[in-house]
Amino acid sequence: MRRSCGAAVAALAASSSAVSITDVCTTSNVQAALPANGTLVGIDMIPSSVTASVVYNATTGGGMGGATSGSSASYTYCNVTVAYTHTGKGDKVVLLYALPQPSDFKNRFYVAGGGGFSLSSSATGGLEYGAAGGATDAGYDAFSNSYDEVVLYGNGSINWDATYMFGYQALGEMTKVGKPLAQAFYGLNDTKIYTYFEGCSDGGREGMSQVQRFGEEYDGAITGAPAFRFAQQQVHHVFSSAVEVTQDYYPPPCEISKIVNATIAACDPLDGRTDGVVSRTDLCMLNFDLKSVIGEPYYCAAENSTSLGFGFNKRSAANKHSLRRRQAQGSTTSSQPAQNGTVSAKAVAVAQAIYDGLHNSAGERAYLSWQIASELGDASPTYSTDTNSWELSIPSTGGEYVTKFIQLLDLDNLSDLDGVTYDTLVEWMQTGMVRYMDSLQTTLPDLTPFQASGGKLLHYHGESDSSIPAASSVHYWQSVRSVMYGNLTDEAALESLQDWYQFYLVPGAGHCGANQLQPGPYPQTNMDVMIDWVENGVKPTRLNATVSSGSYAGETQMLCQWPTRPLWQGNSSSFDCVDDQASIDSWTYTFPAFKLPVY
Ligand SMILES: *[C@@H]1O[C@H](CO)[C@@H](O)[C@H](O)[C@H]1NC(C)=O
Ligand SMILES: *[C@@H]1O[C@H](CO)[C@@H](O)[C@H](O)[C@H]1NC(C)=O
Ligand SMILES: *[C@@H]1O[C@H](CO)[C@@H](O)[C@H](O)[C@H]1NC(C)=O
Ligand SMILES: *[C@@H]1O[C@H](CO)[C@@H](O)[C@H](O)[C@H]1NC(C)=O
Ligand SMILES: *[C@@H]1O[C@H](CO)[C@@H](O)[C@H](O)[C@H]1NC(C)=O
Ligand SMILES: *[C@@H]1O[C@H](CO)[C@@H](O)[C@H](O)[C@H]1NC(C)=O
Ligand SMILES: *[C@@H]1O[C@H](CO)[C@@H](O)[C@H](O)[C@H]1NC(C)=O
Ligand SMILES: *[C@@H]1O[C@H](CO)[C@@H](O)[C@H](O)[C@H]1NC(C)=O
Ligand SMILES: *[C@@H]1O[C@H](CO)[C@@H](O)[C@H](O)[C@H]1NC(C)=O
Ligand SMILES: *[C@@H]1O[C@H](CO)[C@@H](O)[C@H](O)[C@H]1NC(C)=O
Ligand SMILES: *[C@@H]1O[C@H](CO)[C@@H](O)[C@H](O)[C@H]1NC(C)=O
Ligand SMILES: *[C@@H]1O[C@H](CO)[C@@H](O)[C@H](O)[C@H]1NC(C)=O
């Protein structure tokens, strides 16, 4: 009965190709298009909650493409909100959908990832691809709250509903409702709706959560620098501080900056081209000795600086909404005196320990770390004008995770690291991994349902990411390969995997964006690549990326697909993608500090 209006629209669609947005963007058409109670088990739609209104000539995109391309195109779409409840639970989850005007719709559905502790609050990211899109308030008013603000009801009391909803469930349900809604809204009946996910950072983790948990729902997922292996990743944000406490040295930021700059300068040519970019951090790790920087002079003028709480590059591609929210909450303004000195052995020892990664007191590796030549943002101390010295500063990314998620105390940061050893960090990781194994950890390595239903995964990571180590992505790729294709030869496993899951390191790039210190390439056309792969069967072998600054600005580089690595031919404009076992080995880790497998 409730289908009658959708059917009317279908009839209209059949009789006239010129169905207008005002024909379909009505409360009654949306109500009729909702999946009936019982079709999606556990999800009961509330028709009386529907709102629908046309938004004309909106310039906002809200997707990854829009954020990076700065496109000025405008879109007319139907702005829909609707609530549902979980059967028998009495809760309420609000969904937001943006449905393009019928003449623009290309049978696509697009889900954008958020960033930090936020899901995307924008549904319009797919409009530039002729896609409908959606966003969810996840039942905890996620359009206004970030998840870390609601994870505890109070000390010791975890909000598990919010945790699972943020972890993976809310986006999966939003997509399951959105696809049949879009079909019926346009009167398309059984037409295939190609469904895409695109996100970076936590958005990358969210994408992995969908591939892992709702694999059949997605045709293509683009996941950048995923903030997965959540417990290890978040505690790792405290590691630099722990190194400084352990070694009792708090290097002035200028000294750290000098170490990083000198490393970049020394390792830049190792990849065959001197272009300001360390395209092969593996060769840097294998061939460069940080100690060679000791004694080099550094100088930085006095400045007042503002830093983002999450260690994000200001150019972060995460959606603008959540970036703004993060900035307001987590940003700190600090003033620095002029710094003039020479690089000390102590500072190099701190940097080396950070790049080496966390080990327990038995010397067993617990985690990987940022690639050498990455910035060391988590290591920046604060300057105390009381003592005129540099003092411990715990990044609130890691500090808040430990207080709220491990200690279960409603505090925004650790106040100190008194009594905290490397073993303590390992314990925190262990506790977080086990406690949130099936919600936030997001490292399930068996992607069979996604693969079997034809899904394609494009995974990328800035090689000089200073927030989420690039090796974290390599480790997950290796886990998927060995869990899904463990019985195959390396070559056969690679071939099978690359058919549907491709991974790319982005030379020089930082966290979800280009890197001011290394003017390298960044992939800007991932959705075009993915659409071609999914809808036209054009499987990529390399990834299209463009240099946006420096003397090579405008250059297109077709990035090498992992596990091959770039090697430039002299200072020319071409490079080969080579197999280099020593390099691959340098990216390969085991974590004997944990008894459980760490995927
Ligand atoms: C949808 O397709 C089925 C089978 O092709 C058909 O029986 C049904 O009438 C169609 N419904 C609408 C609303 O077009
Ligand atoms: C579906 O279930 C919800 C929750 O019980 C209810 O509010 C809604 O009216 C139901 N929808 C229909 C069409 O009956
Ligand atoms: C939207 O833009 C089109 C083309 O520029 C224009 O003709 C139309 O009047 C605009 N509509 C509204 C509601 O502003
Ligand atoms: C979409 O609709 C909701 C609910 O009515 C409203 O709060 C929101 O402002 C609308 N968005 C736009 C862009 O008009
Ligand atoms: C490192 O390089 C950056 C970019 O060129 C520059 O802004 C910064 O001042 C340098 N740091 C030092 C200590 O020279
Ligand atoms: C930093 O800010 C303080 C207070 O606003 C101001 O007095 C000082 O001149 C600023 N220093 C620099 C280097 O901008
Ligand atoms: C840094 O210190 C050295 C040695 O004290 C001095 O020669 C040099 O002028 C200083 N540089 C600046 C920019 O102040
Ligand atoms: C905790 O985080 C806040 C916000 O980033 C920061 O200002 C503060 O210095 C941190 N606390 C410690 C002890 O490092
Ligand atoms: C939660 O625990 C912290 C640390 O013990 C304490 O400072 C705070 O007051 C507690 N909050 C409440 C509401 O009891
Ligand atoms: C490897 O295992 C998979 C899944 O169990 C199976 O489909 C495949 O045929 C096996 N391949 C070989 C070479 O045994
Ligand atoms: C790479 O992307 C750019 C921008 O879309 C396009 O002009 C170029 O043709 C692409 N190159 C390749 C080899 O696909
Ligand atoms: C490449 O260029 C750099 C300076 O731009 C130069 O120092 C180096 O010798 C060149 N390398 C080759 C192989 O030509």
Side-chain angles (χ1 to χ4, degrees):
M1 171 208 55
R2 285 173 47 252
R3 290 272 158 208
S4 60
C5 187
V9 172
L12 194 58
S15 66
S16 149
S17 58
V19 180
S20 79
I21 185 81
T22 48
D23 294 329
V24 287
C25 191
T26 62
T27 302
S28 58
N29 186 44
V30 173
Q31 285 172 333
L34 296 175
N37 290 350
T39 42
L40 299 175
V41 176
I43 295 175
D44 292 336
M45 305 304 303
I46 304 172
S48 58
S49 68
V50 168
T51 69
S53 56
V54 182
V55 178
Y56 291 96
N57 298 341
T59 51
T60 167
M64 307 277 302
T68 49
S69 67
S71 139
S72 61
S74 70
Y75 306 94
T76 292
Y77 65 95
C78 184
N79 173 35
V80 167
T81 62
V82 58
Y84 67 94
T85 184
H86 291 105
T87 305
K89 187 161 185 171
D91 60 345
K92 190 177 93 167
V93 183
V94 177
L95 302 174
L96 177 64
Y97 292 105
L99 298 132
Q101 59 185 334
S103 57
D104 289 345
F105 186 58
K106 294 186 177 149
N107 302 341
R108 294 174 184 148
F109 190 79
Y110 177 96
V111 183
F117 280 113
S118 297
L119 301 173
S120 173
S121 53
S122 165
T124 55
L127 294 177
E128 64 179 298
Y129 309 106
T136 172
D137 94 333
Y140 59 84
D141 197 8
F143 297 144
S144 339
N145 294 323
S146 97
Y147 159 62
D148 57 324
E149 295 171 308
V150 301
V151 60
L152 295 178
Y153 292 113
N155 286 346
S157 180
I158 299 173
N159 184 342
W160 284 110
D161 284 329
T163 298
Y164 284 103
M165 287 297 268
F166 175 75
Y168 60 86
Q169 189 183 347
L171 287 172
E173 291 179 345
M174 184 281 289
T175 300
K176 289 186 83 145
V177 171
K179 290 163 66 174
L181 172 66
Q183 276 178 332
F185 176 86
Y186 295 106
L188 288 171
N189 208 349
D190 291 330
T191 307
K192 163 88 178 166
I193 305 286
Y194 293 104
T195 302
Y196 299 94
F197 185 99
E198 185 177 25
C200 199
S201 194
D202 197 75
R205 185 200 62 78
E206 293 158 23
M208 289 300 191
S209 81
Q210 298 306 286
V211 166
Q212 292 167 12
R213 303 277 182 171
F214 292 89
E216 296 99 330
E217 297 297 326
Y218 295 88
D219 298 287
I222 301 165
T223 57
F228 57 7
R229 210 169 304 102
F230 205 77
Q232 280 85 356
Q233 167 58 29
Q234 299 300 340
V235 174
H236 181 62
H237 274 306
V238 182
F239 177 53
S240 301
S241 298
V243 168
E244 291 171 349
V245 170
T246 303
Q247 302 199 1
D248 193 24
Y249 184 66
Y250 304 88
C254 189
E255 190 174 27
I256 302 174
S257 170
K258 179 66 197 187
I259 292 172
V260 172
N261 286 3
T263 303
I264 293 169
C267 292
D268 171 8
L270 297 178
D271 56 37
R273 183 167 88 165
T274 305
D275 56 2
V277 180
V278 183
S279 299
R280 293 289 297 279
T281 56
D282 37 52
L283 294 178
C284 186
M285 182 180 176
L286 295 170
N287 296 296
F288 176 66
D289 186 356
L290 268 182
K291 288 206 251 345
S292 64
V293 184
I294 295 171
E296 291 213 19
Y298 63 81
Y299 174 78
C300 298
E303 67 168 313
N304 297 325
S305 65
T306 302
S307 69
L308 298 181
F310 262 89
F312 280 70
N313 291 1
K314 289 195 173 112
R315 219 176 284 179
S316 167
N319 81 61
K320 288 169 190 159
H321 242 84
S322 60
L323 187 64
R324 208 165 32 233
R325 192 182 305 147
R326 263 199 318 271
Q327 206 157 359
Q329 279 178 355
S331 69
T332 50
T333 304
S334 57
S335 57
Q336 300 188 350
Q339 299 156 64
N340 185 5
T342 55
V343 173
S344 64
K346 283 186 167 184
V348 166
V350 164
Q352 186 69 60
I354 294 172
Y355 286 135
D356 285 347
L358 176 64
H359 294 69
N360 65 17
S361 55
E364 296 166 318
R365 177 175 289 281
Y367 207 45
L368 40 78
S369 188
W370 304 289
Q371 291 302 109
I372 191 165
S374 302
E375 286 184 86
L376 293 169
D378 281 354
S380 266
T382 45
Y383 190 74
S384 162
T385 46
D386 296 339
T387 61
N388 287 328
S389 64
W390 295 95
E391 294 182 348
L392 176 69
S393 170
I394 302 169
S396 57
T397 39
E400 183 197 38
Y401 178 79
V402 173
T403 51
K404 289 192 175 170
F405 292 76
I406 304 299
Q407 300 175 335
L408 306 183
L409 298 175
D410 200 1
L411 302 170
D412 290 340
N413 199 354
L414 285 163
S415 54
D416 56 58
L417 290 179
D418 295 353
V420 170
T421 65
Y422 293 147
D423 286 339
T424 317
L425 266 56
V426 178
E427 281 164 26
W428 286 340
M429 287 182 178
Q430 165 77 19
T431 299
M433 174 171 67
V434 171
R435 184 176 293 157
Y436 306 100
M437 183 75 91
D438 67 343
S439 53
L440 302 174
Q441 190 71 353
T442 326
T443 46
L444 285 179
D446 179 6
L447 305 179
T448 300
F450 177 73
Q451 178 267 332
S453 67
K456 311 291 183 231
L457 176 57
L458 192 58
H459 175 187
Y460 66 93
H461 206 131
E463 189 157 332
S464 287
D465 190 323
S466 60
S467 180
I468 300 175
S472 164
S473 279
V474 171
H475 186 70
Y476 181 71
W477 180 93
Q478 291 172 331
S479 297
V480 173
R481 186 188 57 177
S482 59
V483 165
M484 291 185 69
Y485 301 110
N487 59 348
L488 301 184
T489 63
D490 278 3
E491 205 179 329
L494 190 59
E495 197 182 317
S496 301
L497 190 57
Q498 291 183 340
D499 237 13
W500 59 275
Y501 175 8
Q502 301 193 354
F503 174 61
Y504 294 88
L505 284 167
V506 186
H511 186 62
C512 296
N515 180 354
Q516 284 182 332
L517 297 183
Q518 300 183 50
Y522 203 75
Q524 308 278 7
T525 58
N526 292 341
M527 263 303 280
D528 300 324
V529 171
M530 181 54 89
I531 287 171
D532 221 21
W533 193 4
V534 166
E535 298 181 21
N536 305 323
V538 179
K539 181 172 78 168
T541 54
R542 317 238 318 225
L543 186 63
N544 192 336
T546 311
V547 180
S548 57
S549 67
S551 38
Y552 291 91
E555 183 182 75
T556 292
Q557 295 182 14
M558 298 302 290
L559 304 184
C560 295
Q561 188 179 162
W562 178 262
T564 67
R565 305 258 53 216
L567 192 62
W568 290 91
Q569 296 153 0
N571 282 337
S572 74
S573 59
S574 70
F575 58 88
D576 298 314
C577 296
V578 301
D579 285 304
D580 181 340
Q581 194 56 47
S583 286
I584 293 172
D585 291 349
S586 81
W587 287 92
T588 303
Y589 295 94
T590 56
F591 304 108
F594 301 103
K595 303 291 174 261
L596 287 168
V598 175
Y599 293 116

